Amino acid sequence: MNTGPMFDNLNSSTHDDLTYPAGLPESVAPLGAQADGIVRAIATVTAAAAFVLFLGAFVNGRQFFHSYLFGYVFALDLALGALFWNLIHHISDAGWSVGLRRIYENIHRAILPLSLLFIPILIGIHLGQLHQWYGFIHSPPPEETHLQHLWHVKHIYFNTTFFLLRLCIYFSIWIIFSLIMRNWSMLQDKVGGATLTLRMQRWAPLGLVLLGLSTTFFAFDILMSLQYTWFSTIYGVYYWVGGFRGSLSLAVLLVLGLHAAGYLQRTITIEHLHDAGKLMFGLTIFWAYIAFAQYFLIWYGNMPEETQFYLLRRNGAWYEMTILLPVLYFVVPFFMLLPRAHKRSPRWLAATAMLILLMHAYDLYWQIMPVLHSETLRFHWLDVAAFISFSGIVLLATIWGFQRAPLIPVRDARLQETIDYVNETP
Amino acid sequence: MTPTTPIISPGATITAAPARLPDPLPRIPLVWGPDTYETITHQISRITEKPQPWWWWPAFLITSGLLTGGVLAATYLISTGVGVWGSNNPVNWAFDITNFVFWIGIGHAGTLISAILFLFRQKWRTSINRFSEAMTIFAVICAGVYPGIHVGRFWYAWFMFPLPNANHIFQNFRSALLWDLFAVSTYFTISLIFWYVGLIPDLATLRDRAKSRSRQVIFGLLSLGWRGSTRHWRHYEVAYLMLAGLSTPLVLSVHSVVSFDFATSILPGWHTTIFPPYFVAGAIFGGFAMVLQCMIPARAAYKLHNLVTIKHIDVMCKFLLATGSLVGYAYCMELFIAWYSGNPYEWQTFVNRAWNGDYTWAYWVMMTCNLFIPQVFWIRWCRQTPWFVLLVVTCINVGMWYERFVIIVQSLHHDFLPASWGRYYPTWVDWLQMLGDFGLFFTLTLLFIRFLPMIAMAEVKAVLPMANPHYHYLPADRYLKGEDGRYPTADHALAAAYGPPAPPRTIVPPATEPVPAFIPTPEGTGQPWGAVAEFANAQDLLHAAQAARQHGYTHLDAWTPFYVHGMKEAIGRTRSRLPLFTLAGALTGLAAAVTLQFYLMTYYYPTIVGGKEYRSWEAFVPIFFEMTVLFAGFFTLFALIGLCGLPRLFHPLDAHPTFHRSTQDGFFLTIEATDPRFDVDQTRDFLRSIGGQHVAVIER
């Protein structure tokens, strides 16, 4: 039984020497000019927000850099999470997520522009507006013995050359893997065959190991070190999980958006979204587990050098804001995603994905901002400007990707499997 | 009304393949070679039915000899006192807790394979999940020995249970040791339920194949009268999913709670926030190593190469590489943060561990075995050479034992006060007890492979190509080859050497005795129970059920050796409501745990422990979780049994001469006499008209 007419002729806006295999259930041609309108709209909003953010640098320096950092890590997390999902797709030789793979490839295009946008953070650190260790290690060793010890350690670790070298390594890893994975995938669209699939499968494990280590140390260097006397071995894992959740939710929202615009309705169906919903559910629990493990052991141990992290987040309105995190980032999404029917409902999925994405941003906000406003929560318009500009950058990178490449990997070795895919849960 | 032409013809399954996209990288089937439902049933059941192989008794004597040593050691310990162990100040915990954690960890792989891989739909797990689940249970039994005996006066072990104010001693719900009791006993219970639920269809297979009355009675009772009814399968599959969903966070919680044993006893080297996931990763790592340690010899001894293929070993080695690297990541994080924190005491502990301490050798044994050696699994040859894998997993087992030894003994022997530093020397009782545990584990394993099906037959049947109606059969000379006519990878060539999979059979095998049109039952009432027909394969049965529904029959049931997707819809049933019971159980358990802990610790017997407030909820969370899962698991099991109306040891269908195949390789459709359209002759004719064989009406 043939599933539908051949849509060869619909895929007419071929790109370069790209052709489409016979038997695709619908047109998956790049969006091309069809998305120009939305790109213009997003670009306008992003540019306006970025301009406001830029002005903020002259109004309130410290606030600007912290807001910028908040927006930046949110965007970077989404891009790195997408790279993770792409790599894990190859490692596990997955069939069901072939369609989603292209979405991730488009999201992690943002890594390249974000690498350049890291420079203002370096300026912020250099100006002493962001990380307090910068001032600490650039002053003479303190008098007190225990501070001396700390000074020597941090002096080595945050030594400018070493610090910059590390950052170069992290960004090189991310750029290299995001580029080669996407380029091989683009190449595969043209030539097909098993070779490129096998090549991506061969390189993905190395990429994952390097990605795991680099994001861990990035989290240590840029986020954990905001309170440089604080430390937590699980912090790297906590940071990853947030990124996984965020980019998965973003991918689900993008698919739902494409569906609403009339694309991919027969290639990424509710069966695939159901699976994405299950992963969102599982990661919701996993995040709670990691977050609780960190909180619980610090609470039980009750050692001052560790408890400072949570004590800072109990001041003033931060106390209520801290309670909000497990409620809105765990309990509510947990029950929203628990029934099977919700995971198969586009509306519920959209609502939950939106909530998770916003709470992911809030989680990062909660990690960064108490350092700046330690007495109580002080919401600032620059936070909004940063959030909008960086979200816009990720969206623009993604949609530009959709304009240039077919919406799914058209010659993936597992394409038939993903099109036929039906969720077998009883 | 009887249709004159058959609605479907037998053997209509294999139709022309639809136009397909290029398939340059065919999926390798999970079972290699031309196996059918029948051969798999035979291959696995035979192991438990025929006499044991020559090596079984010698192996059993050795392991039970070790076990006897362990029993003697425990008896000596209990009759004399814990002083017979080498544990002493400052190393008060040593071999006992090391072994305890080691065995608990071993158990984790079973749950990972059976539950987590199930949720991730890693269907290759079907060949190894039964074995691993059994290992989980045996490993938890081995671990459970230690909390029982390490108190010395083990007749006071009941103090561990939350009984009200016994002898003015009360359980401390803020203590990691009590969390451990809840976690381990919940884990054992849920694993046992999960294992047993998984076993039910296979126990029924053994019952239906039984030659002797005693086997028939034993397996009949154990299988609760399972017959593969689709009305049962629809509850069963959901119950299995629920149990998998419960086991997954449970397995994470158990080793996390074990890690709390250490993490909440604040000493440098004992407390870092990564402990919970680090212990879980380590447990899965060690457990996978033990699964391979047992599976590779069993695979060779029973020639299971077609079911536990070299690809299974390959994938498991990749898991070892991944989890080993995660454990290595945790080691490195500990080391890095100890330095980064600038805390000289913390750093000193690690210098002592890795550089200048008494147990530096143990640390490097651990690092070598757990982090460095598994890196050989980046190489394909190392993953696919069974004897080499066996060698590596032995190293890993040693390494994982040393990991616990390092965490416990090394941290304790060298704390803040130089005056209380001291070394630990195990005594012969320690060694004997440890060997006895290995004896217990392998004795139970040997008994298991002797008496129970070590591979989940029903699940393996469901992943055969013939169970997949959409499987794309290629001509034998193109089997597993890409578009260019070559094998895309070496694995494809390996699998292809076993030959292409068998297509579904198209004719019903003949009955050994003629099937009468009306079959009386021993205590028959003279009234018909219903009509039954046999079909050649799952697809034919599915079509037949659909045809019967179209014809207006409603009281249908389909009887299959495994769950056939789409069958419950075909007989007019919807998704099981069983999850509601699970949810009710979860909420009941949570409410019970909240009441129990807050009432006892806050109002009835308020106790300050570790400077925490009476009302602080954090320390109650582990038991909230454990009781939630425990109750949810029990509710699921009881809901499954209740909704299926089991146990049902006798059934009118048992009188049908070929019906015993329903748990092996037969596919049956029944139309019950309660159906408004039922008529003895017409229904029988209808079943024949749609291609049914061995059609009969059964007396009630």
Side-chain angles (χ1 to χ4, degrees), chain A residues 364-398:
Chain A
L364 292 164
Y365 185 83
W366 175 84
Q367 288 173 56
I368 293 168
M369 286 304 163
V371 179
L372 178 65
H373 302 297
S374 54
E375 63 294 345
T376 187
L377 169 76
R378 288 249 173 74
F379 202 62
H380 201 277
W381 49 270
L382 277 174
D383 300 334
V384 183
F387 177 73
I388 294 176
S389 358
F390 279 101
S391 310
I393 288 165
V394 173
L395 278 180
L396 283 178
T398 313

Short mmCIF file of all heavy atoms in Angstrom, two decimals, chain A residues 364-398:
data_model
loop_
_atom_site.label_atom_id
_atom_site.label_comp_id
_atom_site.label_asym_id
_atom_site.label_seq_id
_atom_site.Cartn_x
_atom_site.Cartn_y
_atom_site.Cartn_z
N LEU A 364 18.44 30.02 35.09
CA LEU A 364 19.73 30.69 34.90
C LEU A 364 19.72 32.07 35.58
O LEU A 364 20.71 32.49 36.18
CB LEU A 364 20.02 30.82 33.41
CG LEU A 364 20.28 29.49 32.72
CD1 LEU A 364 20.19 29.62 31.23
CD2 LEU A 364 21.64 28.95 33.12
N TYR A 365 18.58 32.74 35.47
CA TYR A 365 18.43 34.05 36.12
C TYR A 365 18.66 33.91 37.62
O TYR A 365 19.37 34.68 38.24
CB TYR A 365 17.02 34.56 35.83
CG TYR A 365 16.74 35.95 36.32
CD1 TYR A 365 17.10 37.05 35.57
CD2 TYR A 365 16.10 36.16 37.53
CE1 TYR A 365 16.84 38.33 36.01
CE2 TYR A 365 15.84 37.43 37.99
CZ TYR A 365 16.21 38.52 37.22
OH TYR A 365 15.96 39.78 37.67
N TRP A 366 18.07 32.86 38.16
CA TRP A 366 18.17 32.59 39.60
C TRP A 366 19.61 32.24 40.00
O TRP A 366 20.03 32.47 41.12
CB TRP A 366 17.21 31.43 39.90
CG TRP A 366 17.23 30.89 41.29
CD1 TRP A 366 16.56 31.38 42.36
CD2 TRP A 366 17.92 29.73 41.75
NE1 TRP A 366 16.79 30.61 43.46
CE2 TRP A 366 17.63 29.58 43.11
CE3 TRP A 366 18.76 28.81 41.15
CZ2 TRP A 366 18.14 28.56 43.88
CZ3 TRP A 366 19.27 27.77 41.90
CH2 TRP A 366 18.96 27.65 43.26
N GLN A 367 20.35 31.67 39.05
CA GLN A 367 21.75 31.36 39.37
C GLN A 367 22.63 32.59 39.29
O GLN A 367 23.65 32.67 39.98
CB GLN A 367 22.28 30.29 38.41
CG GLN A 367 21.70 28.92 38.68
CD GLN A 367 22.12 27.93 37.62
OE1 GLN A 367 23.29 27.73 37.38
NE2 GLN A 367 21.16 27.32 36.96
N ILE A 368 22.27 33.53 38.41
CA ILE A 368 23.17 34.66 38.15
C ILE A 368 22.83 35.88 39.01
O ILE A 368 23.70 36.45 39.66
CB ILE A 368 23.12 35.03 36.66
CG1 ILE A 368 23.71 33.89 35.83
CG2 ILE A 368 23.86 36.33 36.40
CD1 ILE A 368 23.46 34.03 34.35
N MET A 369 21.56 36.26 39.02
CA MET A 369 21.22 37.58 39.53
C MET A 369 21.40 37.79 41.03
O MET A 369 21.73 38.89 41.45
CB MET A 369 19.78 37.94 39.13
CG MET A 369 19.67 38.29 37.68
SD MET A 369 20.78 39.64 37.24
CE MET A 369 20.80 39.48 35.47
N PRO A 370 21.21 36.77 41.88
CA PRO A 370 21.41 37.04 43.31
C PRO A 370 22.82 37.53 43.62
O PRO A 370 23.03 38.19 44.64
CB PRO A 370 21.15 35.68 43.97
CG PRO A 370 20.23 35.00 43.04
CD PRO A 370 20.68 35.43 41.68
N VAL A 371 23.77 37.25 42.75
CA VAL A 371 25.12 37.73 42.99
C VAL A 371 25.16 39.25 42.87
O VAL A 371 25.87 39.93 43.61
CB VAL A 371 26.10 37.08 41.98
CG1 VAL A 371 27.50 37.58 42.19
CG2 VAL A 371 26.03 35.58 42.12
N LEU A 372 24.35 39.76 41.93
CA LEU A 372 24.33 41.21 41.72
C LEU A 372 23.42 41.88 42.76
O LEU A 372 23.82 42.84 43.39
CB LEU A 372 23.83 41.49 40.30
CG LEU A 372 23.70 42.96 39.93
CD1 LEU A 372 25.06 43.64 39.92
CD2 LEU A 372 23.05 43.08 38.55
N HIS A 373 22.21 41.36 42.90
CA HIS A 373 21.26 41.95 43.85
C HIS A 373 21.11 41.00 45.02
O HIS A 373 20.16 40.23 45.08
CB HIS A 373 19.90 42.15 43.18
CG HIS A 373 19.96 43.01 41.96
ND1 HIS A 373 20.35 44.31 42.01
CD2 HIS A 373 19.72 42.74 40.65
CE1 HIS A 373 20.32 44.83 40.78
NE2 HIS A 373 19.96 43.89 39.94
N SER A 374 22.06 41.04 45.92
CA SER A 374 22.07 40.01 46.96
C SER A 374 21.01 40.27 48.02
O SER A 374 20.60 39.34 48.70
CB SER A 374 23.45 39.93 47.60
OG SER A 374 23.81 41.21 48.06
N GLU A 375 20.52 41.51 48.15
CA GLU A 375 19.58 41.78 49.25
C GLU A 375 18.17 41.30 48.91
O GLU A 375 17.51 40.69 49.73
CB GLU A 375 19.61 43.26 49.65
CG GLU A 375 19.20 44.30 48.61
CD GLU A 375 20.14 44.39 47.41
OE1 GLU A 375 21.28 43.86 47.45
OE2 GLU A 375 19.74 44.98 46.41
N THR A 376 17.72 41.53 47.68
CA THR A 376 16.41 41.02 47.27
C THR A 376 16.34 41.02 45.76
O THR A 376 17.25 41.51 45.09
CB THR A 376 15.27 41.86 47.87
OG1 THR A 376 14.03 41.22 47.56
CG2 THR A 376 15.24 43.27 47.30
N LEU A 377 15.25 40.45 45.25
CA LEU A 377 15.05 40.43 43.81
C LEU A 377 14.85 41.84 43.28
O LEU A 377 14.03 42.58 43.78
CB LEU A 377 13.82 39.57 43.49
CG LEU A 377 13.28 39.63 42.06
CD1 LEU A 377 14.17 38.82 41.15
CD2 LEU A 377 11.86 39.11 42.00
N ARG A 378 15.64 42.23 42.29
CA ARG A 378 15.44 43.54 41.64
C ARG A 378 15.36 43.28 40.14
O ARG A 378 16.36 43.09 39.48
CB ARG A 378 16.64 44.46 41.90
CG ARG A 378 16.73 44.98 43.29
CD ARG A 378 16.46 46.48 43.35
NE ARG A 378 16.40 46.89 44.74
CZ ARG A 378 17.49 47.00 45.50
NH1 ARG A 378 18.68 46.80 44.98
NH2 ARG A 378 17.38 47.34 46.75
N PHE A 379 14.15 43.30 39.67
CA PHE A 379 13.95 43.03 38.26
C PHE A 379 14.33 44.27 37.46
O PHE A 379 14.04 45.37 37.87
CB PHE A 379 12.49 42.66 38.04
CG PHE A 379 12.27 41.89 36.81
CD1 PHE A 379 12.87 40.64 36.66
CD2 PHE A 379 11.49 42.38 35.77
CE1 PHE A 379 12.68 39.91 35.51
CE2 PHE A 379 11.30 41.65 34.63
CZ PHE A 379 11.89 40.42 34.49
N HIS A 380 14.99 44.08 36.32
CA HIS A 380 15.47 45.23 35.56
C HIS A 380 15.06 45.09 34.10
O HIS A 380 15.03 43.99 33.57
CB HIS A 380 17.00 45.29 35.67
CG HIS A 380 17.55 46.65 35.37
ND1 HIS A 380 17.78 47.08 34.10
CD2 HIS A 380 17.91 47.68 36.18
CE1 HIS A 380 18.26 48.32 34.14
NE2 HIS A 380 18.34 48.70 35.39
N TRP A 381 14.79 46.21 33.45
CA TRP A 381 14.38 46.13 32.04
C TRP A 381 15.47 45.57 31.16
O TRP A 381 15.22 45.04 30.09
CB TRP A 381 13.88 47.49 31.53
CG TRP A 381 14.79 48.67 31.83
CD1 TRP A 381 14.73 49.45 32.94
CD2 TRP A 381 15.84 49.18 31.03
NE1 TRP A 381 15.70 50.41 32.89
CE2 TRP A 381 16.40 50.28 31.72
CE3 TRP A 381 16.38 48.83 29.79
CZ2 TRP A 381 17.47 51.02 31.22
CZ3 TRP A 381 17.44 49.57 29.29
CH2 TRP A 381 17.99 50.66 30.00
N LEU A 382 16.72 45.67 31.61
CA LEU A 382 17.80 45.11 30.79
C LEU A 382 17.72 43.59 30.73
O LEU A 382 18.16 42.98 29.75
CB LEU A 382 19.16 45.54 31.36
CG LEU A 382 19.64 46.91 30.92
CD1 LEU A 382 20.90 47.29 31.65
CD2 LEU A 382 19.86 46.96 29.43
N ASP A 383 17.16 42.99 31.79
CA ASP A 383 17.00 41.53 31.76
C ASP A 383 16.10 41.13 30.60
O ASP A 383 16.38 40.18 29.88
CB ASP A 383 16.37 41.03 33.07
CG ASP A 383 17.22 41.38 34.27
OD1 ASP A 383 18.45 41.53 34.09
OD2 ASP A 383 16.67 41.50 35.37
N VAL A 384 15.02 41.89 30.43
CA VAL A 384 14.07 41.59 29.35
C VAL A 384 14.75 41.82 28.01
O VAL A 384 14.65 40.99 27.09
CB VAL A 384 12.81 42.48 29.48
CG1 VAL A 384 11.80 42.11 28.41
CG2 VAL A 384 12.21 42.34 30.85
N ALA A 385 15.46 42.95 27.91
CA ALA A 385 16.12 43.26 26.64
C ALA A 385 17.11 42.15 26.28
O ALA A 385 17.17 41.70 25.12
CB ALA A 385 16.83 44.60 26.74
N ALA A 386 17.87 41.68 27.27
CA ALA A 386 18.87 40.64 27.00
C ALA A 386 18.17 39.34 26.60
O ALA A 386 18.59 38.67 25.64
CB ALA A 386 19.74 40.40 28.22
N PHE A 387 17.13 39.02 27.32
CA PHE A 387 16.40 37.78 27.01
C PHE A 387 15.87 37.81 25.58
O PHE A 387 16.06 36.87 24.80
CB PHE A 387 15.24 37.61 28.01
CG PHE A 387 14.39 36.41 27.76
CD1 PHE A 387 14.87 35.15 28.06
CD2 PHE A 387 13.14 36.54 27.20
CE1 PHE A 387 14.09 34.03 27.82
CE2 PHE A 387 12.35 35.43 26.96
CZ PHE A 387 12.84 34.17 27.27
N ILE A 388 15.28 38.93 25.20
CA ILE A 388 14.70 39.02 23.85
C ILE A 388 15.80 39.01 22.80
O ILE A 388 15.71 38.29 21.81
CB ILE A 388 13.82 40.28 23.72
CG1 ILE A 388 12.60 40.15 24.64
CG2 ILE A 388 13.35 40.47 22.28
CD1 ILE A 388 11.73 41.37 24.67
N SER A 389 16.87 39.77 23.03
CA SER A 389 17.89 39.80 21.97
C SER A 389 18.50 38.42 21.76
O SER A 389 18.66 37.98 20.62
CB SER A 389 19.01 40.80 22.24
OG SER A 389 18.82 41.52 23.40
N PHE A 390 18.82 37.74 22.86
CA PHE A 390 19.51 36.45 22.66
C PHE A 390 18.55 35.37 22.16
O PHE A 390 18.94 34.53 21.36
CB PHE A 390 20.24 36.04 23.93
CG PHE A 390 21.55 36.73 24.07
CD1 PHE A 390 21.70 37.81 24.90
CD2 PHE A 390 22.64 36.33 23.32
CE1 PHE A 390 22.91 38.48 25.01
CE2 PHE A 390 23.86 36.98 23.42
CZ PHE A 390 23.99 38.06 24.26
N SER A 391 17.30 35.41 22.62
CA SER A 391 16.34 34.45 22.06
C SER A 391 16.22 34.71 20.56
O SER A 391 16.15 33.77 19.76
CB SER A 391 14.96 34.62 22.68
OG SER A 391 15.06 34.63 24.07
N GLY A 392 16.19 36.00 20.20
CA GLY A 392 16.07 36.35 18.79
C GLY A 392 17.24 35.82 17.99
O GLY A 392 17.07 35.32 16.87
N ILE A 393 18.44 35.89 18.56
CA ILE A 393 19.61 35.41 17.82
C ILE A 393 19.49 33.91 17.55
O ILE A 393 19.74 33.44 16.44
CB ILE A 393 20.89 35.75 18.60
CG1 ILE A 393 21.12 37.26 18.50
CG2 ILE A 393 22.08 34.99 18.07
CD1 ILE A 393 22.10 37.80 19.49
N VAL A 394 19.07 33.16 18.57
CA VAL A 394 18.92 31.71 18.37
C VAL A 394 17.85 31.44 17.31
O VAL A 394 18.06 30.63 16.40
CB VAL A 394 18.55 31.01 19.69
CG1 VAL A 394 18.22 29.55 19.47
CG2 VAL A 394 19.68 31.14 20.68
N LEU A 395 16.73 32.16 17.42
CA LEU A 395 15.65 31.92 16.46
C LEU A 395 16.08 32.28 15.04
O LEU A 395 15.79 31.55 14.08
CB LEU A 395 14.43 32.74 16.85
CG LEU A 395 13.55 32.14 17.94
CD1 LEU A 395 12.37 33.06 18.22
CD2 LEU A 395 13.03 30.77 17.51
N LEU A 396 16.79 33.39 14.92
CA LEU A 396 17.22 33.80 13.58
C LEU A 396 18.17 32.77 12.99
O LEU A 396 18.03 32.36 11.83
CB LEU A 396 17.91 35.16 13.65
CG LEU A 396 16.98 36.37 13.78
CD1 LEU A 396 17.78 37.64 13.89
CD2 LEU A 396 16.04 36.44 12.59
N ALA A 397 19.14 32.33 13.80
CA ALA A 397 20.08 31.33 13.30
C ALA A 397 19.32 30.09 12.85
O ALA A 397 19.63 29.49 11.81
CB ALA A 397 21.09 30.98 14.39
N THR A 398 18.31 29.69 13.64
CA THR A 398 17.56 28.49 13.31
C THR A 398 16.75 28.66 12.04
O THR A 398 16.80 27.84 11.14
CB THR A 398 16.62 28.15 14.48
OG1 THR A 398 17.36 28.24 15.69
CG2 THR A 398 16.03 26.79 14.33
#
